[in-house]
């Protein structure tokens, strides 16, 4: 496989095998049923926590594995190759809420929240989007008003991955409503727990793909959040969210590569078995060209992603690189799954083979954690930034 281009270390190969074996044994046999019934399997959280997959980037001093970003992404790709739903749960948890608490949280917050999150005892979620604030995230209207020793939150959050199973939800809300604090300025990030009075889970979305990863609305009705749960500075929450989304986008790129790789592997195997016009269809150049394009785009996506991951670990600015990796990998996932369905023909359009699910799962990678259009805007803005 083109994975070899990465020259994985011994430790990375071990973690890759661990992730692959786990996904094949604990997830693969149930995927079709979970997808059909939109079932989220809560025991996966404990099992993934026990293996360290929910604390990959958290240092050992806070009970995490403390591996580098590239190693984390290798594990995530393996999980995604088997199940993109489990992968998004793992990606959101590792890339967004835990990274935010690690980077911007107090020692007390790290001890209280990060440790159990690293062990998989508390699942993390990220609540930025609202019904009227999607791509324009800074237009969010959820309010946070200081009242004594609490912030009182009112509003609705949308599209929250794992929001109905999370023990910790990093939530962005407007802390300052003065006119000169509109947009990105005057937004705070709060560590919300579902036991807070006024917290409720609303609509669970009935989705095209990623059906065994729940996506829900959350409503806050005069929800009192202790001041100790404010992350960092009260007006910096949007900046924290944007910085964390750079990690998130690397995770979604790895998820996309996993989906694309699963499509390539399924299509390659099928092309060897399926006979038409007297020979296996892989003998035809029309099929070979599709497989070659899929393999090339996957290798290019992975190379770009891992270059971005290494740059991040060197402490470099990866705002543009993470958007490039996410953009290219998610469009590769859509391309590869579309080609795979085409190679399978009618059999690709039904649930007897996995490519139908892969095709449905791929689409959202071009939408969440910033649409492809938003990634292009971020990439272009960084070109001007160096003027
Ligand atoms: N790092 C640090 N600071 C950043 C930053 C970054 N990556 N990106 C922006 N900022 C800062 C800017 O420097 C600016 O600061 P100043 O005011 O001090 O100059 C401030 O943030 C505002 O930036 P912009 O003016 O660029 O903000 P904008 O309102 O024009 O929006 C955007 C920028 C790129 C469009 C942003 O809104 C965006 O990324 N939108 C997409 C939203 C998104 O990705 N949502 C994901 C939802 S979560 C999800 O999907 C998770 C899940 O569950 C799967």
């Amino acid at each position: 496989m083109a994975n070899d281009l990465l020259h994985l270390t011994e430790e990375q190969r071990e973690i890759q095998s661990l992730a692959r074996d786990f996904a094949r044994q604990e997830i693969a046999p149930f995927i079709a049923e979970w997808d059909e019934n939109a079932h989220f399997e809560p025991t996966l959280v404990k099992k993934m926590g026990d293996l360290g997959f929910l604390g990959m980037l958290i240092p050992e001093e806070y009970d995490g594995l403390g591996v580098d970003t590239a190693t984390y992404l290798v594990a995530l790709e393996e999980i995604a190759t088997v199940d993109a739903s489990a992968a998004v749960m793992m990606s959101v948890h590792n890339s967004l809420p835990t990274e935010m608490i690690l980077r911007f949280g107090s020692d007390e917050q790290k001890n209280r929240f990060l440790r159990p999150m690293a062990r998989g005892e508390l699942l993390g979620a990220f609540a930025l989007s609202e019904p009227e604030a999607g791509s324009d995230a800074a237009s969010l209207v959820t309010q946070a008003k200081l009242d004594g020793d609490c912030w009182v939150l009112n509003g609705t959050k949308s599209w929250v991955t794992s929001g109905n199973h999370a023990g910790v939800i990093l939530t962005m809300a407007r802390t300052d409503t003065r006119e000169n604090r509109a947009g990105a300025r005057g937004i705070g990030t709060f560590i919300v727990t579902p036991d807070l009075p006024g917290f409720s889970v609303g609509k669970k979305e009935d989705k095209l793909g990623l059906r065994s990863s729940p996506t829900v609305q959350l409503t806050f009705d005069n929800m009192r959040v202790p001041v100790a749960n404010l992350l960092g500075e009260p007006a910096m929450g949007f900046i924290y969210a944007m910085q964390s989304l750079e990690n998130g986008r690397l995770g979604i790129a790895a998820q996309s590569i996993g989906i694309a790789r699963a499509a390539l592997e399924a299509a390659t195997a099928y092309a060897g078995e399926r006979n038409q016009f007297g020979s296996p269809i892989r003998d035809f150049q029309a099929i070979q060209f599709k497989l070659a394009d899929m393999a090339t785009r996957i290798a290019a996506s992975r190379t770009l992603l891992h270059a971005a991951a290494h740059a991040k670990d060197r402490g470099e600015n990866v705002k543009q690189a993470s958007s490039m990796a996410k953009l290219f990998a998610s469009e590769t996932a859509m391309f590869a799954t579309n080609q795979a369905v085409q190679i399978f023909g009618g059999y690709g359009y039904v649930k007897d083979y996995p490519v139908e699910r892969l095709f449905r799962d791929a689409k959202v990678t071009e939408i969440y954690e910033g649409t492809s259009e938003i990634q292009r805007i971020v990439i272009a803005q960084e070109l001007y930034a160096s003027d």
Side-chain angles (χ1 to χ4, degrees), residues 92 96 126 128-129 134-135 137-138 159 161 184-185 238-239 242-243 245-246 249 319 368-370 374 378:
V92 168
L96 295 169
F126 179 81
L128 173 67
S129 305
S135 288
W159 312 115
T161 299
R185 295 174 181 274
F238 186 78
I239 309 291
M242 287 297 119
Q243 289 183 348
L245 277 167
E246 292 175 11
R249 289 166 184 167
K319 184 174 177 184
Y368 62 18
E369 301 213 13
I374 289 295
V378 172

PDB file of all heavy atoms in Angstrom, residues 92 96 126 128-129 134-135 137-138 159 161 184-185 238-239 242-243 245-246 249 319 368-370 374 378, ligand 1:
ATOM      1  N   VAL A  92     -13.329  14.018  16.740  1.00  0.00           N
ATOM      2  CA  VAL A  92     -13.839  15.186  17.459  1.00  0.00           C
ATOM      3  C   VAL A  92     -13.283  15.199  18.880  1.00  0.00           C
ATOM      4  O   VAL A  92     -12.768  16.210  19.352  1.00  0.00           O
ATOM      5  CB  VAL A  92     -15.390  15.202  17.448  1.00  0.00           C
ATOM      6  CG1 VAL A  92     -15.927  16.224  18.436  1.00  0.00           C
ATOM      7  CG2 VAL A  92     -15.899  15.500  16.043  1.00  0.00           C
ATOM      8  N   LEU A  96     -10.648  18.265  19.160  1.00  0.00           N
ATOM      9  CA  LEU A  96     -11.303  19.524  19.542  1.00  0.00           C
ATOM     10  C   LEU A  96     -11.387  19.695  21.061  1.00  0.00           C
ATOM     11  O   LEU A  96     -10.575  20.416  21.626  1.00  0.00           O
ATOM     12  CB  LEU A  96     -12.672  19.636  18.840  1.00  0.00           C
ATOM     13  CG  LEU A  96     -12.606  19.749  17.302  1.00  0.00           C
ATOM     14  CD1 LEU A  96     -13.963  19.581  16.649  1.00  0.00           C
ATOM     15  CD2 LEU A  96     -12.010  21.085  16.889  1.00  0.00           C
ATOM     16  N   PHE A 126     -18.150  19.238  20.798  1.00  0.00           N
ATOM     17  CA  PHE A 126     -17.757  20.606  20.440  1.00  0.00           C
ATOM     18  C   PHE A 126     -19.005  21.286  19.882  1.00  0.00           C
ATOM     19  O   PHE A 126     -19.575  20.807  18.900  1.00  0.00           O
ATOM     20  CB  PHE A 126     -16.656  20.502  19.384  1.00  0.00           C
ATOM     21  CG  PHE A 126     -16.112  21.788  18.842  1.00  0.00           C
ATOM     22  CD1 PHE A 126     -15.156  22.506  19.545  1.00  0.00           C
ATOM     23  CD2 PHE A 126     -16.502  22.252  17.596  1.00  0.00           C
ATOM     24  CE1 PHE A 126     -14.598  23.674  19.023  1.00  0.00           C
ATOM     25  CE2 PHE A 126     -15.965  23.411  17.055  1.00  0.00           C
ATOM     26  CZ  PHE A 126     -15.013  24.121  17.768  1.00  0.00           C
ATOM     27  N   LEU A 128     -20.250  24.632  18.415  1.00  0.00           N
ATOM     28  CA  LEU A 128     -20.001  25.964  17.839  1.00  0.00           C
ATOM     29  C   LEU A 128     -21.191  26.385  16.974  1.00  0.00           C
ATOM     30  O   LEU A 128     -21.767  27.449  17.172  1.00  0.00           O
ATOM     31  CB  LEU A 128     -18.706  25.917  17.001  1.00  0.00           C
ATOM     32  CG  LEU A 128     -18.354  27.161  16.185  1.00  0.00           C
ATOM     33  CD1 LEU A 128     -18.023  28.338  17.102  1.00  0.00           C
ATOM     34  CD2 LEU A 128     -17.143  26.889  15.272  1.00  0.00           C
ATOM     35  N   SER A 129     -21.598  25.527  16.041  1.00  0.00           N
ATOM     36  CA  SER A 129     -22.643  25.875  15.078  1.00  0.00           C
ATOM     37  C   SER A 129     -23.993  26.067  15.746  1.00  0.00           C
ATOM     38  O   SER A 129     -24.281  25.487  16.797  1.00  0.00           O
ATOM     39  CB  SER A 129     -22.801  24.766  14.027  1.00  0.00           C
ATOM     40  OG  SER A 129     -21.574  24.499  13.408  1.00  0.00           O
ATOM     41  N   GLY A 134     -23.677  28.730  10.633  1.00  0.00           N
ATOM     42  CA  GLY A 134     -22.959  27.541  10.168  1.00  0.00           C
ATOM     43  C   GLY A 134     -21.571  27.948   9.691  1.00  0.00           C
ATOM     44  O   GLY A 134     -20.649  28.105  10.494  1.00  0.00           O
ATOM     45  N   SER A 135     -21.442  28.204   8.368  1.00  0.00           N
ATOM     46  CA  SER A 135     -20.149  28.673   7.842  1.00  0.00           C
ATOM     47  C   SER A 135     -19.749  29.983   8.496  1.00  0.00           C
ATOM     48  O   SER A 135     -18.578  30.215   8.782  1.00  0.00           O
ATOM     49  CB  SER A 135     -20.235  28.858   6.324  1.00  0.00           C
ATOM     50  OG  SER A 135     -20.296  27.601   5.687  1.00  0.00           O
ATOM     51  N   ALA A 137     -19.562  31.155  11.434  1.00  0.00           N
ATOM     52  CA  ALA A 137     -19.627  30.722  12.840  1.00  0.00           C
ATOM     53  C   ALA A 137     -19.629  31.898  13.808  1.00  0.00           C
ATOM     54  O   ALA A 137     -20.229  31.823  14.886  1.00  0.00           O
ATOM     55  CB  ALA A 137     -18.446  29.801  13.129  1.00  0.00           C
ATOM     56  N   ALA A 138     -18.981  32.998  13.412  1.00  0.00           N
ATOM     57  CA  ALA A 138     -18.866  34.143  14.330  1.00  0.00           C
ATOM     58  C   ALA A 138     -20.191  34.885  14.519  1.00  0.00           C
ATOM     59  O   ALA A 138     -20.280  35.778  15.367  1.00  0.00           O
ATOM     60  CB  ALA A 138     -17.803  35.110  13.828  1.00  0.00           C
ATOM     61  N   TRP A 159     -25.889  20.448  15.150  1.00  0.00           N
ATOM     62  CA  TRP A 159     -24.899  19.569  14.499  1.00  0.00           C
ATOM     63  C   TRP A 159     -23.805  19.132  15.473  1.00  0.00           C
ATOM     64  O   TRP A 159     -22.636  19.082  15.101  1.00  0.00           O
ATOM     65  CB  TRP A 159     -24.250  20.277  13.292  1.00  0.00           C
ATOM     66  CG  TRP A 159     -25.214  20.931  12.371  1.00  0.00           C
ATOM     67  CD1 TRP A 159     -25.335  22.266  12.120  1.00  0.00           C
ATOM     68  CD2 TRP A 159     -26.207  20.271  11.569  1.00  0.00           C
ATOM     69  NE1 TRP A 159     -26.337  22.488  11.219  1.00  0.00           N
ATOM     70  CE2 TRP A 159     -26.895  21.289  10.853  1.00  0.00           C
ATOM     71  CE3 TRP A 159     -26.592  18.943  11.379  1.00  0.00           C
ATOM     72  CZ2 TRP A 159     -27.941  21.016   9.980  1.00  0.00           C
ATOM     73  CZ3 TRP A 159     -27.638  18.668  10.507  1.00  0.00           C
ATOM     74  CH2 TRP A 159     -28.286  19.690   9.832  1.00  0.00           C
ATOM     75  N   THR A 161     -21.759  16.586  17.151  1.00  0.00           N
ATOM     76  CA  THR A 161     -21.363  15.174  17.096  1.00  0.00           C
ATOM     77  C   THR A 161     -21.253  14.626  18.519  1.00  0.00           C
ATOM     78  O   THR A 161     -20.627  15.265  19.377  1.00  0.00           O
ATOM     79  CB  THR A 161     -19.997  15.040  16.381  1.00  0.00           C
ATOM     80  OG1 THR A 161     -20.141  15.525  15.052  1.00  0.00           O
ATOM     81  CG2 THR A 161     -19.513  13.595  16.352  1.00  0.00           C
ATOM     82  N   ALA A 184     -16.548  37.920  15.725  1.00  0.00           N
ATOM     83  CA  ALA A 184     -15.623  37.020  16.413  1.00  0.00           C
ATOM     84  C   ALA A 184     -15.236  37.515  17.792  1.00  0.00           C
ATOM     85  O   ALA A 184     -14.815  36.734  18.644  1.00  0.00           O
ATOM     86  CB  ALA A 184     -14.369  36.838  15.561  1.00  0.00           C
ATOM     87  N   ARG A 185     -15.368  38.818  18.031  1.00  0.00           N
ATOM     88  CA  ARG A 185     -14.949  39.370  19.324  1.00  0.00           C
ATOM     89  C   ARG A 185     -16.061  39.207  20.355  1.00  0.00           C
ATOM     90  O   ARG A 185     -17.228  39.353  20.028  1.00  0.00           O
ATOM     91  CB  ARG A 185     -14.592  40.837  19.174  1.00  0.00           C
ATOM     92  CG  ARG A 185     -13.389  40.990  18.291  1.00  0.00           C
ATOM     93  CD  ARG A 185     -13.079  42.431  17.980  1.00  0.00           C
ATOM     94  NE  ARG A 185     -11.924  42.462  17.104  1.00  0.00           N
ATOM     95  CZ  ARG A 185     -10.676  42.446  17.539  1.00  0.00           C
ATOM     96  NH1 ARG A 185     -10.428  42.434  18.817  1.00  0.00           N
ATOM     97  NH2 ARG A 185      -9.670  42.446  16.695  1.00  0.00           N
ATOM     98  N   PHE A 238     -13.751  32.383  20.397  1.00  0.00           N
ATOM     99  CA  PHE A 238     -13.796  32.125  18.949  1.00  0.00           C
ATOM    100  C   PHE A 238     -12.400  31.799  18.425  1.00  0.00           C
ATOM    101  O   PHE A 238     -12.228  30.893  17.603  1.00  0.00           O
ATOM    102  CB  PHE A 238     -14.372  33.338  18.208  1.00  0.00           C
ATOM    103  CG  PHE A 238     -14.573  33.092  16.737  1.00  0.00           C
ATOM    104  CD1 PHE A 238     -15.652  32.366  16.277  1.00  0.00           C
ATOM    105  CD2 PHE A 238     -13.660  33.575  15.795  1.00  0.00           C
ATOM    106  CE1 PHE A 238     -15.834  32.123  14.914  1.00  0.00           C
ATOM    107  CE2 PHE A 238     -13.831  33.336  14.435  1.00  0.00           C
ATOM    108  CZ  PHE A 238     -14.926  32.619  14.001  1.00  0.00           C
ATOM    109  N   ILE A 239     -11.427  32.520  18.944  1.00  0.00           N
ATOM    110  CA  ILE A 239     -10.037  32.273  18.508  1.00  0.00           C
ATOM    111  C   ILE A 239      -9.623  30.854  18.921  1.00  0.00           C
ATOM    112  O   ILE A 239      -9.020  30.116  18.136  1.00  0.00           O
ATOM    113  CB  ILE A 239      -9.062  33.303  19.142  1.00  0.00           C
ATOM    114  CG1 ILE A 239      -9.561  34.732  18.926  1.00  0.00           C
ATOM    115  CG2 ILE A 239      -7.632  33.100  18.631  1.00  0.00           C
ATOM    116  CD1 ILE A 239      -9.535  35.240  17.527  1.00  0.00           C
ATOM    117  N   MET A 242     -11.230  28.446  16.533  1.00  0.00           N
ATOM    118  CA  MET A 242     -10.593  28.432  15.209  1.00  0.00           C
ATOM    119  C   MET A 242      -9.245  27.702  15.259  1.00  0.00           C
ATOM    120  O   MET A 242      -8.912  26.917  14.372  1.00  0.00           O
ATOM    121  CB  MET A 242     -10.367  29.872  14.710  1.00  0.00           C
ATOM    122  CG  MET A 242     -11.624  30.580  14.274  1.00  0.00           C
ATOM    123  SD  MET A 242     -12.408  29.755  12.864  1.00  0.00           S
ATOM    124  CE  MET A 242     -13.968  29.316  13.552  1.00  0.00           C
ATOM    125  N   GLN A 243      -8.487  27.952  16.319  1.00  0.00           N
ATOM    126  CA  GLN A 243      -7.191  27.269  16.432  1.00  0.00           C
ATOM    127  C   GLN A 243      -7.391  25.763  16.574  1.00  0.00           C
ATOM    128  O   GLN A 243      -6.641  24.966  16.009  1.00  0.00           O
ATOM    129  CB  GLN A 243      -6.408  27.818  17.633  1.00  0.00           C
ATOM    130  CG  GLN A 243      -5.902  29.228  17.376  1.00  0.00           C
ATOM    131  CD  GLN A 243      -5.059  29.783  18.519  1.00  0.00           C
ATOM    132  OE1 GLN A 243      -5.032  29.213  19.595  1.00  0.00           O
ATOM    133  NE2 GLN A 243      -4.400  30.884  18.278  1.00  0.00           N
ATOM    134  N   LEU A 245      -9.913  24.085  15.447  1.00  0.00           N
ATOM    135  CA  LEU A 245     -10.406  23.508  14.192  1.00  0.00           C
ATOM    136  C   LEU A 245      -9.250  23.173  13.236  1.00  0.00           C
ATOM    137  O   LEU A 245      -9.409  22.334  12.353  1.00  0.00           O
ATOM    138  CB  LEU A 245     -11.423  24.444  13.522  1.00  0.00           C
ATOM    139  CG  LEU A 245     -12.847  24.296  14.075  1.00  0.00           C
ATOM    140  CD1 LEU A 245     -13.734  25.450  13.613  1.00  0.00           C
ATOM    141  CD2 LEU A 245     -13.476  22.964  13.660  1.00  0.00           C
ATOM    142  N   GLU A 246      -8.113  23.798  13.430  1.00  0.00           N
ATOM    143  CA  GLU A 246      -6.947  23.386  12.616  1.00  0.00           C
ATOM    144  C   GLU A 246      -6.615  21.921  12.914  1.00  0.00           C
ATOM    145  O   GLU A 246      -6.292  21.159  12.002  1.00  0.00           O
ATOM    146  CB  GLU A 246      -5.738  24.275  12.931  1.00  0.00           C
ATOM    147  CG  GLU A 246      -5.920  25.698  12.456  1.00  0.00           C
ATOM    148  CD  GLU A 246      -4.762  26.611  12.878  1.00  0.00           C
ATOM    149  OE1 GLU A 246      -3.730  26.101  13.358  1.00  0.00           O
ATOM    150  OE2 GLU A 246      -4.921  27.832  12.721  1.00  0.00           O
ATOM    151  N   ARG A 249      -9.509  19.673  11.520  1.00  0.00           N
ATOM    152  CA  ARG A 249      -9.476  19.474  10.065  1.00  0.00           C
ATOM    153  C   ARG A 249      -8.439  18.421   9.681  1.00  0.00           C
ATOM    154  O   ARG A 249      -8.638  17.675   8.714  1.00  0.00           O
ATOM    155  CB  ARG A 249      -9.261  20.830   9.377  1.00  0.00           C
ATOM    156  CG  ARG A 249     -10.508  21.686   9.503  1.00  0.00           C
ATOM    157  CD  ARG A 249     -10.345  23.152   9.161  1.00  0.00           C
ATOM    158  NE  ARG A 249     -11.627  23.836   9.426  1.00  0.00           N
ATOM    159  CZ  ARG A 249     -11.775  25.161   9.482  1.00  0.00           C
ATOM    160  NH1 ARG A 249     -10.750  25.957   9.289  1.00  0.00           N
ATOM    161  NH2 ARG A 249     -12.973  25.683   9.727  1.00  0.00           N
ATOM    162  N   LYS A 319      -2.483  26.733   9.723  1.00  0.00           N
ATOM    163  CA  LYS A 319      -3.843  27.155   9.348  1.00  0.00           C
ATOM    164  C   LYS A 319      -4.124  26.799   7.886  1.00  0.00           C
ATOM    165  O   LYS A 319      -5.126  26.156   7.562  1.00  0.00           O
ATOM    166  CB  LYS A 319      -3.958  28.668   9.567  1.00  0.00           C
ATOM    167  CG  LYS A 319      -5.324  29.240   9.312  1.00  0.00           C
ATOM    168  CD  LYS A 319      -5.374  30.705   9.695  1.00  0.00           C
ATOM    169  CE  LYS A 319      -6.728  31.306   9.370  1.00  0.00           C
ATOM    170  NZ  LYS A 319      -6.786  32.741   9.640  1.00  0.00           N
ATOM    171  N   TYR A 368     -18.681  19.159   7.026  1.00  0.00           N
ATOM    172  CA  TYR A 368     -18.444  19.570   8.423  1.00  0.00           C
ATOM    173  C   TYR A 368     -17.001  19.993   8.674  1.00  0.00           C
ATOM    174  O   TYR A 368     -16.138  19.807   7.835  1.00  0.00           O
ATOM    175  CB  TYR A 368     -18.959  18.538   9.420  1.00  0.00           C
ATOM    176  CG  TYR A 368     -18.382  17.143   9.448  1.00  0.00           C
ATOM    177  CD1 TYR A 368     -17.167  16.817   8.865  1.00  0.00           C
ATOM    178  CD2 TYR A 368     -19.078  16.139  10.114  1.00  0.00           C
ATOM    179  CE1 TYR A 368     -16.664  15.531   8.943  1.00  0.00           C
ATOM    180  CE2 TYR A 368     -18.570  14.844  10.195  1.00  0.00           C
ATOM    181  CZ  TYR A 368     -17.368  14.562   9.614  1.00  0.00           C
ATOM    182  OH  TYR A 368     -16.857  13.293   9.689  1.00  0.00           O
ATOM    183  N   GLU A 369     -16.825  20.620   9.833  1.00  0.00           N
ATOM    184  CA  GLU A 369     -15.555  21.260  10.224  1.00  0.00           C
ATOM    185  C   GLU A 369     -15.068  22.233   9.150  1.00  0.00           C
ATOM    186  O   GLU A 369     -13.870  22.391   8.905  1.00  0.00           O
ATOM    187  CB  GLU A 369     -14.508  20.215  10.614  1.00  0.00           C
ATOM    188  CG  GLU A 369     -15.024  19.369  11.786  1.00  0.00           C
ATOM    189  CD  GLU A 369     -13.976  18.877  12.753  1.00  0.00           C
ATOM    190  OE1 GLU A 369     -12.842  19.363  12.693  1.00  0.00           O
ATOM    191  OE2 GLU A 369     -14.329  18.017  13.587  1.00  0.00           O
ATOM    192  N   GLY A 370     -16.056  22.893   8.521  1.00  0.00           N
ATOM    193  CA  GLY A 370     -15.769  23.855   7.461  1.00  0.00           C
ATOM    194  C   GLY A 370     -15.956  23.208   6.102  1.00  0.00           C
ATOM    195  O   GLY A 370     -15.288  22.227   5.772  1.00  0.00           O
ATOM    196  N   ILE A 374     -15.354  26.956   2.452  1.00  0.00           N
ATOM    197  CA  ILE A 374     -14.675  27.673   3.553  1.00  0.00           C
ATOM    198  C   ILE A 374     -13.184  27.335   3.555  1.00  0.00           C
ATOM    199  O   ILE A 374     -12.337  28.211   3.759  1.00  0.00           O
ATOM    200  CB  ILE A 374     -15.340  27.327   4.911  1.00  0.00           C
ATOM    201  CG1 ILE A 374     -16.727  27.967   5.008  1.00  0.00           C
ATOM    202  CG2 ILE A 374     -14.457  27.761   6.092  1.00  0.00           C
ATOM    203  CD1 ILE A 374     -16.758  29.484   5.019  1.00  0.00           C
ATOM    204  N   VAL A 378     -10.094  30.013   3.447  1.00  0.00           N
ATOM    205  CA  VAL A 378      -8.974  30.066   4.405  1.00  0.00           C
ATOM    206  C   VAL A 378      -7.642  29.976   3.645  1.00  0.00           C
ATOM    207  O   VAL A 378      -6.704  30.751   3.908  1.00  0.00           O
ATOM    208  CB  VAL A 378      -9.085  28.921   5.445  1.00  0.00           C
ATOM    209  CG1 VAL A 378      -7.834  28.849   6.321  1.00  0.00           C
ATOM    210  CG2 VAL A 378     -10.336  29.097   6.313  1.00  0.00           C
TER     211      VAL A 378
HETATM  212  N1  LIG B   1      -6.139  30.706  14.433  1.00  0.00           N
HETATM  213  C1  LIG B   1      -6.099  31.810  15.198  1.00  0.00           C
HETATM  214  N2  LIG B   1      -6.927  32.859  15.010  1.00  0.00           N
HETATM  215  C2  LIG B   1      -7.820  32.760  14.004  1.00  0.00           C
HETATM  216  C3  LIG B   1      -7.913  31.618  13.176  1.00  0.00           C
HETATM  217  C4  LIG B   1      -7.018  30.564  13.427  1.00  0.00           C
HETATM  218  N3  LIG B   1      -7.039  29.444  12.697  1.00  0.00           N
HETATM  219  N4  LIG B   1      -8.886  31.826  12.267  1.00  0.00           N
HETATM  220  C5  LIG B   1      -9.394  33.052  12.516  1.00  0.00           C
HETATM  221  N5  LIG B   1      -8.738  33.616  13.557  1.00  0.00           N
HETATM  222  C6  LIG B   1      -8.953  34.928  14.154  1.00  0.00           C
HETATM  223  C7  LIG B   1      -8.633  36.039  13.153  1.00  0.00           C
HETATM  224  O1  LIG B   1      -7.252  36.383  13.194  1.00  0.00           O
HETATM  225  C8  LIG B   1      -9.498  37.176  13.683  1.00  0.00           C
HETATM  226  O2  LIG B   1      -8.878  37.774  14.797  1.00  0.00           O
HETATM  227  P1  LIG B   1      -8.864  39.377  14.956  1.00  0.00           P
HETATM  228  O3  LIG B   1     -10.307  39.768  15.099  1.00  0.00           O
HETATM  229  O4  LIG B   1      -8.063  39.603  16.173  1.00  0.00           O
HETATM  230  O5  LIG B   1      -8.258  39.920  13.707  1.00  0.00           O
HETATM  231  C9  LIG B   1     -10.717  36.452  14.194  1.00  0.00           C
HETATM  232  O6  LIG B   1     -10.333  35.096  14.427  1.00  0.00           O
HETATM  233  C10 LIG B   1     -11.839  36.447  13.200  1.00  0.00           C
HETATM  234  O7  LIG B   1     -11.346  35.887  11.991  1.00  0.00           O
HETATM  235  P2  LIG B   1     -12.045  36.190  10.594  1.00  0.00           P
HETATM  236  O8  LIG B   1     -12.248  37.679  10.432  1.00  0.00           O
HETATM  237  O9  LIG B   1     -11.303  35.447   9.528  1.00  0.00           O
HETATM  238  O10 LIG B   1     -13.480  35.539  10.896  1.00  0.00           O
HETATM  239  P3  LIG B   1     -14.713  35.326   9.983  1.00  0.00           P
HETATM  240  O11 LIG B   1     -15.927  35.670  10.750  1.00  0.00           O
HETATM  241  O12 LIG B   1     -14.509  36.000   8.641  1.00  0.00           O
HETATM  242  O13 LIG B   1     -14.750  33.727   9.801  1.00  0.00           O
HETATM  243  C11 LIG B   1     -14.177  31.587   8.891  1.00  0.00           C
HETATM  244  C12 LIG B   1     -13.707  32.965   9.396  1.00  0.00           C
HETATM  245  C13 LIG B   1     -12.914  30.940   8.359  1.00  0.00           C
HETATM  246  C14 LIG B   1     -15.204  31.678   7.784  1.00  0.00           C
HETATM  247  C15 LIG B   1     -14.736  30.795  10.104  1.00  0.00           C
HETATM  248  O14 LIG B   1     -15.966  31.327  10.534  1.00  0.00           O
HETATM  249  C16 LIG B   1     -14.896  29.334   9.779  1.00  0.00           C
HETATM  250  O15 LIG B   1     -13.942  28.566   9.875  1.00  0.00           O
HETATM  251  N6  LIG B   1     -16.140  28.913   9.445  1.00  0.00           N
HETATM  252  C17 LIG B   1     -16.449  27.505   9.320  1.00  0.00           C
HETATM  253  C18 LIG B   1     -17.054  27.022  10.600  1.00  0.00           C
HETATM  254  C19 LIG B   1     -16.665  25.627  10.917  1.00  0.00           C
HETATM  255  O16 LIG B   1     -15.631  25.106  10.530  1.00  0.00           O
HETATM  256  N7  LIG B   1     -17.499  25.004  11.689  1.00  0.00           N
HETATM  257  C20 LIG B   1     -17.225  23.674  12.156  1.00  0.00           C
HETATM  258  C21 LIG B   1     -18.302  23.267  13.060  1.00  0.00           C
HETATM  259  S1  LIG B   1     -17.705  22.071  14.178  1.00  0.00           S
HETATM  260  C22 LIG B   1     -17.926  20.587  13.494  1.00  0.00           C
HETATM  261  O17 LIG B   1     -18.304  20.424  12.375  1.00  0.00           O
HETATM  262  C23 LIG B   1     -17.427  19.519  14.393  1.00  0.00           C
HETATM  263  C24 LIG B   1     -18.191  18.270  14.342  1.00  0.00           C
HETATM  264  O18 LIG B   1     -18.946  17.968  15.257  1.00  0.00           O
HETATM  265  C25 LIG B   1     -17.873  17.285  13.303  1.00  0.00           C
END
